[in-house]
Amino acid sequence: MDITIRPIEPAEHALLGDITAEAYLGDGLLAFGDDDPYLARLRDISRRAAEAEVLVAADAGGRVLGGVTYAAPGNPWADIAAADEAEFRTLAVSREARGAGAGEALVRACIDRARGTTGVAGIILSTQPAMHGAHRIYRRLGFVRTPERDWSPVADLTLLTFRLELRPSV
């Protein structure tokens, strides 16, 4: 599948919010289902796009397949990144587009942005233990588990962390 990664357009905010919410709900990742308070934050793409960089994966016809939030060092959307790390979060791909490379393309775009930022030594992310498909993408791209940085944003939820060391270009 021909996939393009680009910044989100304002007219796509609601669509990506729906894709992200459906991905988390459909995969059983929200403890309280439709009543989970995090659901509103997942749907609020307008806020994310105003405060961080939101990227989308689109097919050859321009249909949005999924998206991700990229947080450069110091960005308020970075939960656990150190001063020399970028972070990405809320990676989500529509159920219909899974397995076609959109998720990997979005992660690669985040890696490229981090590599292109002076002073960034690595890129980190948090993920739920049940996100096995995403874990496969991270490992395939060279991310390693950093269990010493795992954390719990709310009771009864421990997020796993993965980090990719970025080597300077030679």
Side-chain angles (χ1 to χ4, degrees):
M1 177 183 284
D2 187 22
I3 297 170
T4 300
I5 305 300
R6 60 173 173 71
I8 194 167
E9 297 173 8
E12 298 166 331
H13 289 183
L15 173 60
L16 183 58
D18 289 345
I19 289 170
T20 306
E22 289 169 15
Y24 277 69
L25 284 168
D27 291 347
L29 301 172
L30 299 174
F32 302 107
D34 288 328
D35 296 325
D36 198 296
Y38 192 56
L39 192 57
R41 189 166 168 98
L42 290 172
R43 287 187 183 279
D44 192 356
I45 304 301
S46 295
R47 177 179 172 198
R48 269 194 268 156
E51 298 174 352
E53 185 174 7
V54 177
L55 304 172
V56 294
D59 67 13
R63 180 175 60 114
V64 173
L65 308 172
V68 68
T69 302
Y70 173 79
N75 185 278
W77 282 84
D79 283 325
I80 60 167
D84 65 346
E85 292 175 326
E87 185 172 340
F88 68 89
R89 54 187 294 179
T90 60
L91 174 67
V93 174
S94 69
R95 189 151 312 280
E96 306 80 43
R98 289 186 181 181
E104 183 169 330
L106 286 161
V107 174
R108 286 182 183 278
C110 290
I111 294 168
D112 289 346
R113 276 164 173 69
R115 280 197 172 117
T117 303
T118 302
V120 174
I123 185 167
I124 193 155
L125 65 104
S126 300
T127 181
Q128 290 191 29
M131 295 177 164
H132 302 293
H135 300 174
R136 284 190 293 276
I137 292 170
Y138 306 146
R139 286 187 177 100
R140 185 169 51 249
L141 295 178
F143 285 81
V144 295
R145 277 280 291 121
T146 50
E148 69 280 4
R149 294 179 73 177
D150 291 355
W151 64 293
S152 297
V154 295
D156 299 323
L157 174 62
T158 298
L159 296 178
L160 309 179
T161 61
F162 285 80
R163 185 179 187 279
L164 177 67
E165 181 72 23
L166 300 176
R167 290 174 178 64
S169 305
V170 186

